[in-house]
Amino acid sequence: MSGGSAGRDWIATRGTALRGELVVPGDKSVSHRAIMLASLADGVSRVEGFLEGEDARATEAIFRRLGVRIDVPGEGSRVIHGVGIDGLRAADGPLDCGNAGTGMRLLAGLLAGQAFDSVLVGDASLSRRPMRRVTVPLARMGARIDTDEGGLPPLRIQGGNILQGIDFESGIASAQVKSAMLLAGLYARGTTTVREPHPTRDYTERMLLALGWPIEFSPGFARLEGGHRLQARDILVPADFSSAAFFIVAASLVPGSEVLLRRVGMNPRRTGLLHVLRAMGADIREANPGEQGGEPVCDLHVRHAPLRGIEVPQAHVAEMIDEFPALFVAAACASGATVVRGAAELRVKESDRIATMATGLRALGVQVDETPDGATIHGGGALHGGHVDSHGDHRIAMAFAIAAQLAEGDVRIGDIANVATSFPGFDTLARGAGFGLAMA
Ligand code: S3P
């Protein structure tokens, strides 16, 4: 992906059976949080396995502008000279979150409690994403954040307000919303509690605890109080399950495939796709379980197996929210129908992922019935070549690169430059494993 510019396309064609040992890059969620929390800690933290993707680097650049020294001793390494919980200083202009919803929403909470004003901006995709989900509950804590009409970025965050902890029952299962509230809670008087309708990834909670901030949490629940400090600590970032997911699905689908994915992050709030693929008949084995940076990791051994459609259990939706583009492709190649419900959040990701996947799959000959909160994908027919538009959405582009490995003709995938936001080097790794994939 290096050097890709906006509007670049891929031509993806059927390759060979997928083979080999693959190491995917570091976790995007953990990389964002490592920069943020190590910056606020007392002392120097070393981060290894940092994702060299545009999203995490945007957050890194923001913290430099907020006065944090961050050294880069080598690829995937950062040395962060923490400034302490009250040590950030005003930047000299708007802070650019790039494509990253995680960066913008978490920073909304973190910056609402500072003594100075900040402005958060993003790219065209991020500028269309809803921010009221964080600005409304943060306002209940006393934050003052202006948005553009419709609750859209930029976020103009007023500093110098005294925040008050609240007990917040979130209507949306969103780790970004939960994390924004908890990060504001660091600066609030009293106790901040967040309750979720379905448990979401708990990296903010785990990392706060690892850096010494007292916090109580369990699936769907988190509580902390303001007024403590964070201690610097080295952070080892596990490989991103969501990046591994593309190879898990591809190896399951392409006949003759057998791949080993090394040291993949297995946080239980992230691995919903494994439950669903196994229920569809996938052959995925876990080996060498261990721990890396306080997170469970293991090697995943994936072999081709015929898949059958299922109704995706709603209990797993939040735990696989980033994996639906890949799952839609698995469903298109599975026998029978796959039904997705309760996944309306997909409509407000980097693109409307229900619509972009449905449109793209139809262009390859797959019947997809859309609903407001999901879709029914009628799998098992042949996929043909065609032209699909990723709408600048990294995960849509990678999902269609998989679909092309099963298609009977070339698939042109439009607007792939944003793959670099989460998975730099995807095309090189995929080609090495057996994918047919080239720049147009
Ligand atoms: C993320 C949470 C998820 C996910 C995103 C990363 C995070 O978003 O889609 O890629 O790091 O907290 P929501 O929490 O809004 O669902």
Side-chain angles (χ1 to χ4, degrees):
M1 258 318 300
S2 50
S5 59
R8 296 291 295 274
D9 292 359
W10 277 333
I11 302 287
T13 45
R14 196 179 273 206
T16 61
L18 306 184
R19 295 277 165 172
E21 281 190 29
L22 305 171
V23 181
V24 301
D27 190 279
K28 182 156 70 75
S29 296
V30 178
S31 295
H32 280 296
R33 289 159 171 83
I35 295 285
M36 294 179 187
L37 296 185
S39 291
L40 296 179
D42 296 314
V44 179
S45 302
R46 195 178 179 106
V47 181
E48 294 295 342
F50 178 73
L51 172 64
E52 299 286 1
E54 290 168 2
D55 279 10
R57 283 180 171 173
T59 291
E60 175 188 9
I62 285 173
F63 277 84
R64 287 209 177 94
R65 295 197 44 220
L66 293 168
V68 181
R69 177 176 154 202
I70 303 175
D71 302 331
V72 187
E75 196 177 310
S77 296
R78 295 296 184 273
V79 175
I80 302 173
H81 300 257
V83 295
I85 194 75
D86 292 316
L88 297 179
R89 59 170 161 70
D92 54 3
L95 301 166
D96 188 356
C97 301
N99 191 242
T102 306
M104 186 173 282
R105 296 198 179 111
L106 270 58
L107 277 163
L110 195 156
L111 293 174
Q114 306 298 325
F116 52 84
D117 297 350
S118 309
V119 178
L120 296 175
V121 299
D123 71 3
S125 153
L126 183 53
S127 299
R128 289 190 295 267
R129 296 183 67 188
M131 293 296 148
R132 279 197 186 123
R133 56 184 53 206
V134 289
T135 58
V136 168
L138 287 171
R140 281 184 52 205
M141 295 179 74
R144 300 281 301 273
I145 305 177
D146 283 342
T147 64
D148 269 7
E149 213 179 303
L152 299 179
L155 301 184
R156 290 170 287 273
I157 304 168
Q158 193 186 80
N161 292 299
I162 293 181
L163 304 185
Q164 178 64 49
I166 61 168
D167 190 327
F168 176 57
E169 186 142 357
S170 179
I172 315 171
S174 165
Q176 295 178 356
V177 172
K178 171 178 63 177
S179 300
M181 297 299 283
L182 294 175
L183 293 175
L186 303 182
Y187 294 94
R189 287 185 179 156
T191 305
T192 300
T193 303
V194 185
R195 304 170 201 272
E196 305 180 284
H198 294 284
T200 65
R201 65 194 73 191
D202 55 4
Y203 299 119
T204 306
E205 298 91 305
R206 285 171 180 246
M207 206 179 285
L208 282 169
L209 189 64
L211 270 61
W213 197 287
I215 177 166
E216 204 188 313
F217 64 99
S218 57
F221 173 88
R223 171 177 288 158
L224 55 69
E225 56 178 30
H228 297 277
R229 299 193 72 82
L230 294 165
Q231 300 309 320
R233 202 185 141 157
D234 293 350
I235 298 168
L236 201 51
V237 181
D240 198 317
F241 181 86
S242 296
S243 296
F246 294 104
F247 291 99
I248 298 172
V249 170
S252 298
L253 295 179
V254 177
S257 295
E258 183 163 0
V259 299
L260 186 63
L261 289 150
R262 288 276 188 212
R263 317 314 293 150
V264 179
M266 292 287 285
N267 182 303
R269 304 278 82 78
R270 290 292 295 286
T271 49
L273 180 74
L274 291 184
H275 300 283
V276 171
L277 285 178
R278 285 179 175 138
M280 295 173 79
D283 180 352
I284 305 166
R285 268 172 264 177
E286 296 169 27
N288 296 324
E291 213 195 82
Q292 194 167 307
E295 289 289 330
V297 295
C298 78
D299 296 341
L300 292 175
H301 189 190
V302 188
R303 283 200 299 208
H304 165 70
L307 303 187
R308 53 187 176 275
I310 60 161
E311 170 146 7
V312 175
Q314 298 209 13
H316 291 315
V317 166
E319 293 171 353
M320 58 179 291
I321 196 66
D322 291 337
E323 279 56 82
F324 280 94
L327 176 79
F328 272 47
V329 174
C333 300
S335 59
T338 295
V339 182
V340 176
R341 287 199 186 94
E345 274 297 292
L346 296 176
R347 295 209 179 269
V348 290
K349 292 294 179 186
E350 286 82 332
S351 69
D352 175 342
R353 287 184 173 161
I354 298 175
T356 46
M357 284 309 298
T359 307
L361 285 174
R362 285 187 200 120
L364 305 184
V366 181
Q367 189 196 329
V368 184
D369 307 324
E370 258 187 70
T371 60
D373 68 344
T376 299
I377 302 115
H378 301 271
L383 271 64
H384 55 66
H387 191 161
V388 299
D389 188 345
S390 74
H391 288 270
D393 184 331
H394 53 133
R395 299 199 201 280
I396 302 289
M398 291 186 275
F400 281 110
I402 304 173
Q405 306 313 304
L406 285 305
E408 282 162 7
D410 290 359
V411 179
R412 187 179 182 113
I413 307 168
D415 202 1
I416 54 84
N418 277 339
V419 170
T421 61
S422 72
F423 200 158
F426 167 79
D427 53 354
T428 307
L429 198 65
R431 269 194 299 275
F435 274 58
L437 188 61
M439 293 303 294

